[in-house]
Structures are given as C-alpha cells and as structure tokens.
Amino acid sequence: MSTRLSLDALIDRLAGARHPVLLMHTRPDGDTAGSTAALWHLLTAMGKPVSYACPDPMYRRLQFLFEGCESAPLPRPEEGTVITVDVASRAQLGTLADRPDIGAPACMIDHHERGELFADCYADPSAAATGEIILRIARRMTERGLIASIPEGAIHAIYAAISSDTGCFRYANVTPDTHLAAAELLRAGADAADINHRLFDTKSRTLMQAESMVQSGMEVFCGGHAALFVLSREQMQKAGLTEEDFDTAVDVVRTLEGVVIAAVAKETSVAGIYKISLRSTGPDVGSIAAAQGGGGHRLAAGYTLRSNCPQLVAQSVRHLLSEALTPLDKAPVS
C-alpha cells in the first residue's frame, strides 16, 4: 500500500538511502531532467553514490544539465533505493518499469495533478514544476545540516527545471511562489540568460525542419478551436528526422491563433504505439488524458494510444477534442 509522505519523511528516505537510483520519464523534458540532475548534486553532496537512468536517450538540448553528473553503476536491486522524478504513472517509466537490474520504485517525487500512485509519494500539484519541490528539498537539507549549502550545479538545474515546465514563466501554472523560487535561485547564482537561451532559443536545423512540417501538416477543426498534428514513424523516417526533432511540435500547434486545445500524436519507436500530447488554454485536458489511462495537469496532459493506422489515431483524438469543445464549436474564433 503506497502512502503519502511529508517533506521531512521524504528527506529521511533520501538520507537513509544507501545507493539512490533516480529514474526519469519517457521523452524527457526539462523538468524531469533538471530535477534529476539537481537531486544528483544534492545526494552526491551527502556523500552517496547516485545512479540515474532515462528510458529514452537524453535529448541533445537537455544534455548540458548533466555536465559533471556521472551516474554511478547500478547497484544490485536489493541494495538500491529507486526514486522516480517527475513521473506521473508507472507507464511513463517505459522500458525501465520492468528491468530486472532495477528494483521497484520506493518513492515518487512529482507535481502532476493526475496520475498513478505506484510508490510512496511526495507530491504537490500546486507546484508549477517538480523543480520547485526539489528546491524545497534542498532548503530543508541545509536546515537539517545534511548538506552545508546547495551545490552550484543544483541551483542551475533547478532553475532549468522550473523554467522549462513553465514555458519560461509564461504558462498558467506559474504562481507567486514560482517567481519567488526563481528569484531565490537567481540570487544564488543561477545563470538565467544562458539556461533560457539553451532551452528556448537554440534549435537545430532538423528541429526547424520538423516545426515546418508541423505547421504545414496540422489539422484545424471545431471552428478553429482545436488543432491536431499526427506523425507516423514512416513519415518521420521519410523526412530523415527523429522523434527528438519533434520535441516542440505541440508548442507549435498551440500557438495558432484561436486554438483552445492543441494535440500532437507521435508514433513511438514501438510500432503502433502513439504518444498523445494535449495542451489547453481552458478546457480540462487532464481529465481527457486520465480517462484514456494517462495523466498530467488540467492544461497539459498526455496518454498512450495503440493503433497501426494514423488515420484512426486522428479520428480518435479528433472525437475526444470535439466532445470537450462542443460548447465552443459554433462560437466565432477570437
């Protein structure tokens, strides 16, 4: 039976872990990567060997977060304490979920509103990013004398995690506490200009090519209030692109004027498995994702869909979005 942990109970778990093993979610974003890197710095400062793993290759634009973070060899399952970072459901662990050389998760650190409680958990849906929670952990560790101060690497990584999950502080999940956390990190030396440039203003040629494909290939419906882009492995390979190149696809779709719900369906490396990403400026897409076995937040969520036909994927997603937007369907596009 999984239990909810207090902040101090979580820190007790971390302090008592002989060899922490940090796990990230599939298709890593800046929050899971930055929060994991920051936690690596904190636990390493406590003198612990720390391992980390991601079910997918780390995206190039996020690799800078792990500079100087060497993952220790995985311990035997019975000797490690597995901690998931920013993982809303067991399914998000992908290939890491059932690996025999990795033990079962002992605790979760997360901020998602909806998901699956698959281990003892410290979660706060009011946090804009798991990075905000990691900052709380860092503060409390120093207060309890577990570390002398917050390591510089953790400061940069936490700032990156928060900035990433808030769209550089532009999304509706930003709260006054988010800005206070950012100010605290800036005072501590976080290089906001460099971090934000790396996260938001640096794009490879292939990513720009992918964004062009999204712009020309997305479908708009529900009176202009919904937009959808579906991508099969065949299309991706034909264009000579990778899944990583489409990392910003949903952000491209959501910027179209008048769109209330944006969706991107990308076929994964496993044929017939599509990952659906949803973004909203009002309707609760978290409930849509949860009803399909996924999770996330009210305005940003996702789920998995099995199909060998991209047309059927489009039909399924279109139906769900149309139901959610029925009251707006006949309203004029603003």
PDB file of all heavy atoms in Angstrom, residues 282-317:
ATOM      1  N   GLY A 282      -7.975  26.420 -21.578  1.00  0.00           N
ATOM      2  CA  GLY A 282      -9.190  26.487 -20.766  1.00  0.00           C
ATOM      3  C   GLY A 282      -9.756  25.140 -20.384  1.00  0.00           C
ATOM      4  O   GLY A 282      -9.757  24.762 -19.201  1.00  0.00           O
ATOM      5  N   PRO A 283     -10.261  24.342 -21.346  1.00  0.00           N
ATOM      6  CA  PRO A 283     -10.863  23.040 -21.020  1.00  0.00           C
ATOM      7  C   PRO A 283      -9.865  22.106 -20.344  1.00  0.00           C
ATOM      8  O   PRO A 283      -8.652  22.188 -20.569  1.00  0.00           O
ATOM      9  CB  PRO A 283     -11.274  22.497 -22.397  1.00  0.00           C
ATOM     10  CG  PRO A 283     -11.451  23.723 -23.241  1.00  0.00           C
ATOM     11  CD  PRO A 283     -10.417  24.684 -22.768  1.00  0.00           C
ATOM     12  N   ASP A 284     -10.397  21.224 -19.525  1.00  0.00           N
ATOM     13  CA  ASP A 284      -9.590  20.308 -18.723  1.00  0.00           C
ATOM     14  C   ASP A 284      -9.127  19.123 -19.564  1.00  0.00           C
ATOM     15  O   ASP A 284      -9.847  18.134 -19.706  1.00  0.00           O
ATOM     16  CB  ASP A 284     -10.411  19.828 -17.520  1.00  0.00           C
ATOM     17  CG  ASP A 284      -9.631  18.923 -16.595  1.00  0.00           C
ATOM     18  OD1 ASP A 284      -8.445  18.657 -16.866  1.00  0.00           O
ATOM     19  OD2 ASP A 284     -10.215  18.468 -15.596  1.00  0.00           O
ATOM     20  N   VAL A 285      -7.918  19.203 -20.120  1.00  0.00           N
ATOM     21  CA  VAL A 285      -7.397  18.083 -20.900  1.00  0.00           C
ATOM     22  C   VAL A 285      -6.820  16.997 -20.001  1.00  0.00           C
ATOM     23  O   VAL A 285      -6.611  15.861 -20.429  1.00  0.00           O
ATOM     24  CB  VAL A 285      -6.345  18.540 -21.927  1.00  0.00           C
ATOM     25  CG1 VAL A 285      -6.990  19.402 -22.997  1.00  0.00           C
ATOM     26  CG2 VAL A 285      -5.184  19.282 -21.262  1.00  0.00           C
ATOM     27  N   GLY A 286      -6.572  17.341 -18.731  1.00  0.00           N
ATOM     28  CA  GLY A 286      -6.099  16.329 -17.789  1.00  0.00           C
ATOM     29  C   GLY A 286      -7.117  15.217 -17.608  1.00  0.00           C
ATOM     30  O   GLY A 286      -6.766  14.037 -17.521  1.00  0.00           O
ATOM     31  N   SER A 287      -8.393  15.586 -17.564  1.00  0.00           N
ATOM     32  CA  SER A 287      -9.444  14.572 -17.412  1.00  0.00           C
ATOM     33  C   SER A 287      -9.570  13.733 -18.673  1.00  0.00           C
ATOM     34  O   SER A 287      -9.874  12.535 -18.605  1.00  0.00           O
ATOM     35  CB  SER A 287     -10.781  15.240 -17.077  1.00  0.00           C
ATOM     36  OG  SER A 287     -11.194  16.106 -18.131  1.00  0.00           O
ATOM     37  N   ILE A 288      -9.337  14.346 -19.844  1.00  0.00           N
ATOM     38  CA  ILE A 288      -9.346  13.584 -21.096  1.00  0.00           C
ATOM     39  C   ILE A 288      -8.251  12.526 -21.058  1.00  0.00           C
ATOM     40  O   ILE A 288      -8.480  11.347 -21.345  1.00  0.00           O
ATOM     41  CB  ILE A 288      -9.135  14.510 -22.314  1.00  0.00           C
ATOM     42  CG1 ILE A 288     -10.294  15.503 -22.455  1.00  0.00           C
ATOM     43  CG2 ILE A 288      -8.982  13.685 -23.595  1.00  0.00           C
ATOM     44  CD1 ILE A 288     -10.085  16.524 -23.563  1.00  0.00           C
ATOM     45  N   ALA A 289      -7.048  12.946 -20.681  1.00  0.00           N
ATOM     46  CA  ALA A 289      -5.917  12.017 -20.634  1.00  0.00           C
ATOM     47  C   ALA A 289      -6.133  10.933 -19.586  1.00  0.00           C
ATOM     48  O   ALA A 289      -5.849   9.757 -19.829  1.00  0.00           O
ATOM     49  CB  ALA A 289      -4.629  12.787 -20.352  1.00  0.00           C
ATOM     50  N   ALA A 290      -6.644  11.325 -18.410  1.00  0.00           N
ATOM     51  CA  ALA A 290      -6.862  10.349 -17.344  1.00  0.00           C
ATOM     52  C   ALA A 290      -7.866   9.282 -17.759  1.00  0.00           C
ATOM     53  O   ALA A 290      -7.713   8.094 -17.440  1.00  0.00           O
ATOM     54  CB  ALA A 290      -7.330  11.058 -16.074  1.00  0.00           C
ATOM     55  N   ALA A 291      -8.893   9.685 -18.487  1.00  0.00           N
ATOM     56  CA  ALA A 291      -9.908   8.732 -18.945  1.00  0.00           C
ATOM     57  C   ALA A 291      -9.330   7.735 -19.944  1.00  0.00           C
ATOM     58  O   ALA A 291      -9.878   6.641 -20.135  1.00  0.00           O
ATOM     59  CB  ALA A 291     -11.077   9.473 -19.581  1.00  0.00           C
ATOM     60  N   GLN A 292      -8.202   8.097 -20.563  1.00  0.00           N
ATOM     61  CA  GLN A 292      -7.548   7.205 -21.526  1.00  0.00           C
ATOM     62  C   GLN A 292      -6.353   6.476 -20.900  1.00  0.00           C
ATOM     63  O   GLN A 292      -5.556   5.866 -21.606  1.00  0.00           O
ATOM     64  CB  GLN A 292      -7.068   8.012 -22.739  1.00  0.00           C
ATOM     65  CG  GLN A 292      -8.143   8.828 -23.431  1.00  0.00           C
ATOM     66  CD  GLN A 292      -9.311   7.987 -23.885  1.00  0.00           C
ATOM     67  OE1 GLN A 292      -9.124   6.936 -24.500  1.00  0.00           O
ATOM     68  NE2 GLN A 292     -10.526   8.435 -23.588  1.00  0.00           N
ATOM     69  N   GLY A 293      -6.239   6.550 -19.580  1.00  0.00           N
ATOM     70  CA  GLY A 293      -5.154   5.861 -18.886  1.00  0.00           C
ATOM     71  C   GLY A 293      -3.886   6.669 -18.739  1.00  0.00           C
ATOM     72  O   GLY A 293      -2.860   6.151 -18.304  1.00  0.00           O
ATOM     73  N   GLY A 294      -3.943   7.960 -19.082  1.00  0.00           N
ATOM     74  CA  GLY A 294      -2.773   8.817 -18.963  1.00  0.00           C
ATOM     75  C   GLY A 294      -2.857   9.712 -17.752  1.00  0.00           C
ATOM     76  O   GLY A 294      -3.501   9.384 -16.752  1.00  0.00           O
ATOM     77  N   GLY A 295      -2.248  10.881 -17.838  1.00  0.00           N
ATOM     78  CA  GLY A 295      -2.273  11.793 -16.698  1.00  0.00           C
ATOM     79  C   GLY A 295      -1.664  13.128 -17.059  1.00  0.00           C
ATOM     80  O   GLY A 295      -1.366  13.406 -18.225  1.00  0.00           O
ATOM     81  N   GLY A 296      -1.464  13.959 -16.031  1.00  0.00           N
ATOM     82  CA  GLY A 296      -0.890  15.280 -16.241  1.00  0.00           C
ATOM     83  C   GLY A 296      -1.628  16.335 -15.461  1.00  0.00           C
ATOM     84  O   GLY A 296      -2.083  16.098 -14.341  1.00  0.00           O
ATOM     85  N   HIS A 297      -1.805  17.478 -16.073  1.00  0.00           N
ATOM     86  CA  HIS A 297      -2.446  18.627 -15.442  1.00  0.00           C
ATOM     87  C   HIS A 297      -3.697  19.023 -16.221  1.00  0.00           C
ATOM     88  O   HIS A 297      -3.963  18.504 -17.304  1.00  0.00           O
ATOM     89  CB  HIS A 297      -1.485  19.819 -15.407  1.00  0.00           C
ATOM     90  CG  HIS A 297      -0.189  19.530 -14.717  1.00  0.00           C
ATOM     91  ND1 HIS A 297      -0.050  19.536 -13.355  1.00  0.00           N
ATOM     92  CD2 HIS A 297       1.032  19.212 -15.224  1.00  0.00           C
ATOM     93  CE1 HIS A 297       1.195  19.243 -13.040  1.00  0.00           C
ATOM     94  NE2 HIS A 297       1.874  19.045 -14.149  1.00  0.00           N
ATOM     95  N   ARG A 298      -4.425  19.969 -15.659  1.00  0.00           N
ATOM     96  CA  ARG A 298      -5.657  20.427 -16.292  1.00  0.00           C
ATOM     97  C   ARG A 298      -5.381  21.011 -17.680  1.00  0.00           C
ATOM     98  O   ARG A 298      -6.172  20.823 -18.612  1.00  0.00           O
ATOM     99  CB  ARG A 298      -6.337  21.473 -15.406  1.00  0.00           C
ATOM    100  CG  ARG A 298      -7.725  21.900 -15.883  1.00  0.00           C
ATOM    101  CD  ARG A 298      -8.389  22.793 -14.851  1.00  0.00           C
ATOM    102  NE  ARG A 298      -7.675  24.038 -14.687  1.00  0.00           N
ATOM    103  CZ  ARG A 298      -7.840  25.118 -15.463  1.00  0.00           C
ATOM    104  NH1 ARG A 298      -8.720  25.072 -16.462  1.00  0.00           N
ATOM    105  NH2 ARG A 298      -7.172  26.223 -15.254  1.00  0.00           N
ATOM    106  N   LEU A 299      -4.262  21.725 -17.830  1.00  0.00           N
ATOM    107  CA  LEU A 299      -3.976  22.396 -19.093  1.00  0.00           C
ATOM    108  C   LEU A 299      -2.859  21.736 -19.908  1.00  0.00           C
ATOM    109  O   LEU A 299      -2.559  22.186 -21.014  1.00  0.00           O
ATOM    110  CB  LEU A 299      -3.600  23.861 -18.831  1.00  0.00           C
ATOM    111  CG  LEU A 299      -4.652  24.705 -18.107  1.00  0.00           C
ATOM    112  CD1 LEU A 299      -4.144  26.134 -17.928  1.00  0.00           C
ATOM    113  CD2 LEU A 299      -5.980  24.689 -18.845  1.00  0.00           C
ATOM    114  N   ALA A 300      -2.257  20.677 -19.374  1.00  0.00           N
ATOM    115  CA  ALA A 300      -1.187  19.977 -20.092  1.00  0.00           C
ATOM    116  C   ALA A 300      -1.174  18.524 -19.646  1.00  0.00           C
ATOM    117  O   ALA A 300      -0.954  18.243 -18.464  1.00  0.00           O
ATOM    118  CB  ALA A 300       0.162  20.626 -19.820  1.00  0.00           C
ATOM    119  N   ALA A 301      -1.424  17.622 -20.575  1.00  0.00           N
ATOM    120  CA  ALA A 301      -1.534  16.214 -20.209  1.00  0.00           C
ATOM    121  C   ALA A 301      -1.201  15.334 -21.412  1.00  0.00           C
ATOM    122  O   ALA A 301      -0.947  15.833 -22.519  1.00  0.00           O
ATOM    123  CB  ALA A 301      -2.948  15.913 -19.692  1.00  0.00           C
ATOM    124  N   GLY A 302      -1.227  14.032 -21.180  1.00  0.00           N
ATOM    125  CA  GLY A 302      -0.930  13.126 -22.274  1.00  0.00           C
ATOM    126  C   GLY A 302      -1.356  11.708 -21.963  1.00  0.00           C
ATOM    127  O   GLY A 302      -1.638  11.358 -20.821  1.00  0.00           O
ATOM    128  N   TYR A 303      -1.420  10.883 -23.006  1.00  0.00           N
ATOM    129  CA  TYR A 303      -1.767   9.472 -22.846  1.00  0.00           C
ATOM    130  C   TYR A 303      -1.218   8.683 -24.017  1.00  0.00           C
ATOM    131  O   TYR A 303      -0.647   9.244 -24.963  1.00  0.00           O
ATOM    132  CB  TYR A 303      -3.287   9.295 -22.724  1.00  0.00           C
ATOM    133  CG  TYR A 303      -4.091   9.677 -23.953  1.00  0.00           C
ATOM    134  CD1 TYR A 303      -4.485   8.728 -24.887  1.00  0.00           C
ATOM    135  CD2 TYR A 303      -4.477  11.005 -24.174  1.00  0.00           C
ATOM    136  CE1 TYR A 303      -5.226   9.077 -26.015  1.00  0.00           C
ATOM    137  CE2 TYR A 303      -5.216  11.365 -25.289  1.00  0.00           C
ATOM    138  CZ  TYR A 303      -5.585  10.399 -26.205  1.00  0.00           C
ATOM    139  OH  TYR A 303      -6.310  10.747 -27.314  1.00  0.00           O
ATOM    140  N   THR A 304      -1.360   7.380 -23.958  1.00  0.00           N
ATOM    141  CA  THR A 304      -0.858   6.484 -24.995  1.00  0.00           C
ATOM    142  C   THR A 304      -2.021   5.853 -25.737  1.00  0.00           C
ATOM    143  O   THR A 304      -3.040   5.504 -25.132  1.00  0.00           O
ATOM    144  CB  THR A 304       0.012   5.372 -24.365  1.00  0.00           C
ATOM    145  OG1 THR A 304       1.114   5.983 -23.684  1.00  0.00           O
ATOM    146  CG2 THR A 304       0.548   4.436 -25.424  1.00  0.00           C
ATOM    147  N   LEU A 305      -1.862   5.701 -27.044  1.00  0.00           N
ATOM    148  CA  LEU A 305      -2.905   5.103 -27.877  1.00  0.00           C
ATOM    149  C   LEU A 305      -2.268   4.041 -28.770  1.00  0.00           C
ATOM    150  O   LEU A 305      -1.215   4.270 -29.374  1.00  0.00           O
ATOM    151  CB  LEU A 305      -3.563   6.188 -28.732  1.00  0.00           C
ATOM    152  CG  LEU A 305      -4.690   5.762 -29.686  1.00  0.00           C
ATOM    153  CD1 LEU A 305      -5.861   5.183 -28.911  1.00  0.00           C
ATOM    154  CD2 LEU A 305      -5.138   6.957 -30.523  1.00  0.00           C
ATOM    155  N   ARG A 306      -2.908   2.885 -28.847  1.00  0.00           N
ATOM    156  CA  ARG A 306      -2.422   1.799 -29.698  1.00  0.00           C
ATOM    157  C   ARG A 306      -3.216   1.758 -30.998  1.00  0.00           C
ATOM    158  O   ARG A 306      -4.435   1.638 -30.976  1.00  0.00           O
ATOM    159  CB  ARG A 306      -2.549   0.446 -28.984  1.00  0.00           C
ATOM    160  CG  ARG A 306      -1.649   0.291 -27.765  1.00  0.00           C
ATOM    161  CD  ARG A 306      -1.890  -1.051 -27.082  1.00  0.00           C
ATOM    162  NE  ARG A 306      -0.999  -1.226 -25.960  1.00  0.00           N
ATOM    163  CZ  ARG A 306       0.204  -1.796 -26.039  1.00  0.00           C
ATOM    164  NH1 ARG A 306       0.615  -2.258 -27.210  1.00  0.00           N
ATOM    165  NH2 ARG A 306       0.969  -1.921 -24.975  1.00  0.00           N
ATOM    166  N   SER A 307      -2.522   1.844 -32.121  1.00  0.00           N
ATOM    167  CA  SER A 307      -3.162   1.752 -33.427  1.00  0.00           C
ATOM    168  C   SER A 307      -2.093   1.629 -34.506  1.00  0.00           C
ATOM    169  O   SER A 307      -1.020   2.219 -34.381  1.00  0.00           O
ATOM    170  CB  SER A 307      -4.035   2.975 -33.712  1.00  0.00           C
ATOM    171  OG  SER A 307      -4.599   2.903 -35.010  1.00  0.00           O
ATOM    172  N   ASN A 308      -2.391   0.878 -35.532  1.00  0.00           N
ATOM    173  CA  ASN A 308      -1.482   0.756 -36.665  1.00  0.00           C
ATOM    174  C   ASN A 308      -1.872   1.669 -37.823  1.00  0.00           C
ATOM    175  O   ASN A 308      -1.266   1.618 -38.888  1.00  0.00           O
ATOM    176  CB  ASN A 308      -1.441  -0.698 -37.156  1.00  0.00           C
ATOM    177  CG  ASN A 308      -0.743  -1.614 -36.172  1.00  0.00           C
ATOM    178  OD1 ASN A 308       0.324  -1.274 -35.665  1.00  0.00           O
ATOM    179  ND2 ASN A 308      -1.338  -2.760 -35.868  1.00  0.00           N
ATOM    180  N   CYS A 309      -2.882   2.506 -37.569  1.00  0.00           N
ATOM    181  CA  CYS A 309      -3.386   3.370 -38.631  1.00  0.00           C
ATOM    182  C   CYS A 309      -3.411   4.823 -38.159  1.00  0.00           C
ATOM    183  O   CYS A 309      -4.193   5.174 -37.261  1.00  0.00           O
ATOM    184  CB  CYS A 309      -4.791   2.929 -39.034  1.00  0.00           C
ATOM    185  SG  CYS A 309      -5.564   3.983 -40.280  1.00  0.00           S
ATOM    186  N   PRO A 310      -2.583   5.687 -38.744  1.00  0.00           N
ATOM    187  CA  PRO A 310      -2.582   7.095 -38.324  1.00  0.00           C
ATOM    188  C   PRO A 310      -3.911   7.793 -38.537  1.00  0.00           C
ATOM    189  O   PRO A 310      -4.271   8.697 -37.778  1.00  0.00           O
ATOM    190  CB  PRO A 310      -1.476   7.726 -39.173  1.00  0.00           C
ATOM    191  CG  PRO A 310      -1.058   6.728 -40.172  1.00  0.00           C
ATOM    192  CD  PRO A 310      -1.540   5.400 -39.742  1.00  0.00           C
ATOM    193  N   GLN A 311      -4.666   7.360 -39.533  1.00  0.00           N
ATOM    194  CA  GLN A 311      -5.978   7.961 -39.769  1.00  0.00           C
ATOM    195  C   GLN A 311      -6.936   7.666 -38.613  1.00  0.00           C
ATOM    196  O   GLN A 311      -7.717   8.536 -38.198  1.00  0.00           O
ATOM    197  CB  GLN A 311      -6.577   7.460 -41.088  1.00  0.00           C
ATOM    198  CG  GLN A 311      -5.889   7.972 -42.344  1.00  0.00           C
ATOM    199  CD  GLN A 311      -4.573   7.253 -42.639  1.00  0.00           C
ATOM    200  OE1 GLN A 311      -4.341   6.145 -42.146  1.00  0.00           O
ATOM    201  NE2 GLN A 311      -3.719   7.872 -43.440  1.00  0.00           N
ATOM    202  N   LEU A 312      -6.847   6.434 -38.081  1.00  0.00           N
ATOM    203  CA  LEU A 312      -7.696   6.079 -36.939  1.00  0.00           C
ATOM    204  C   LEU A 312      -7.255   6.814 -35.678  1.00  0.00           C
ATOM    205  O   LEU A 312      -8.076   7.172 -34.828  1.00  0.00           O
ATOM    206  CB  LEU A 312      -7.680   4.569 -36.713  1.00  0.00           C
ATOM    207  CG  LEU A 312      -8.378   3.715 -37.776  1.00  0.00           C
ATOM    208  CD1 LEU A 312      -8.256   2.233 -37.450  1.00  0.00           C
ATOM    209  CD2 LEU A 312      -9.850   4.121 -37.900  1.00  0.00           C
ATOM    210  N   VAL A 313      -5.949   7.034 -35.548  1.00  0.00           N
ATOM    211  CA  VAL A 313      -5.442   7.831 -34.425  1.00  0.00           C
ATOM    212  C   VAL A 313      -6.022   9.239 -34.496  1.00  0.00           C
ATOM    213  O   VAL A 313      -6.536   9.773 -33.504  1.00  0.00           O
ATOM    214  CB  VAL A 313      -3.898   7.885 -34.450  1.00  0.00           C
ATOM    215  CG1 VAL A 313      -3.387   8.889 -33.415  1.00  0.00           C
ATOM    216  CG2 VAL A 313      -3.312   6.512 -34.177  1.00  0.00           C
ATOM    217  N   ALA A 314      -5.953   9.834 -35.674  1.00  0.00           N
ATOM    218  CA  ALA A 314      -6.504  11.177 -35.857  1.00  0.00           C
ATOM    219  C   ALA A 314      -7.989  11.202 -35.545  1.00  0.00           C
ATOM    220  O   ALA A 314      -8.482  12.125 -34.883  1.00  0.00           O
ATOM    221  CB  ALA A 314      -6.247  11.651 -37.286  1.00  0.00           C
ATOM    222  N   GLN A 315      -8.708  10.192 -35.999  1.00  0.00           N
ATOM    223  CA  GLN A 315     -10.155  10.125 -35.760  1.00  0.00           C
ATOM    224  C   GLN A 315     -10.458  10.045 -34.276  1.00  0.00           C
ATOM    225  O   GLN A 315     -11.369  10.722 -33.771  1.00  0.00           O
ATOM    226  CB  GLN A 315     -10.728   8.905 -36.479  1.00  0.00           C
ATOM    227  CG  GLN A 315     -12.227   8.740 -36.322  1.00  0.00           C
ATOM    228  CD  GLN A 315     -12.736   7.510 -37.076  1.00  0.00           C
ATOM    229  OE1 GLN A 315     -12.210   7.140 -38.124  1.00  0.00           O
ATOM    230  NE2 GLN A 315     -13.748   6.854 -36.538  1.00  0.00           N
ATOM    231  N   SER A 316      -9.697   9.222 -33.550  1.00  0.00           N
ATOM    232  CA  SER A 316      -9.916   9.064 -32.109  1.00  0.00           C
ATOM    233  C   SER A 316      -9.659  10.362 -31.357  1.00  0.00           C
ATOM    234  O   SER A 316     -10.475  10.793 -30.533  1.00  0.00           O
ATOM    235  CB  SER A 316      -9.003   7.959 -31.568  1.00  0.00           C
ATOM    236  OG  SER A 316      -9.075   7.886 -30.162  1.00  0.00           O
ATOM    237  N   VAL A 317      -8.524  10.998 -31.636  1.00  0.00           N
ATOM    238  CA  VAL A 317      -8.182  12.241 -30.940  1.00  0.00           C
ATOM    239  C   VAL A 317      -9.159  13.348 -31.313  1.00  0.00           C
ATOM    240  O   VAL A 317      -9.614  14.119 -30.454  1.00  0.00           O
ATOM    241  CB  VAL A 317      -6.734  12.665 -31.256  1.00  0.00           C
ATOM    242  CG1 VAL A 317      -6.412  13.998 -30.567  1.00  0.00           C
ATOM    243  CG2 VAL A 317      -5.748  11.588 -30.826  1.00  0.00           C
TER     244      VAL A 317
END
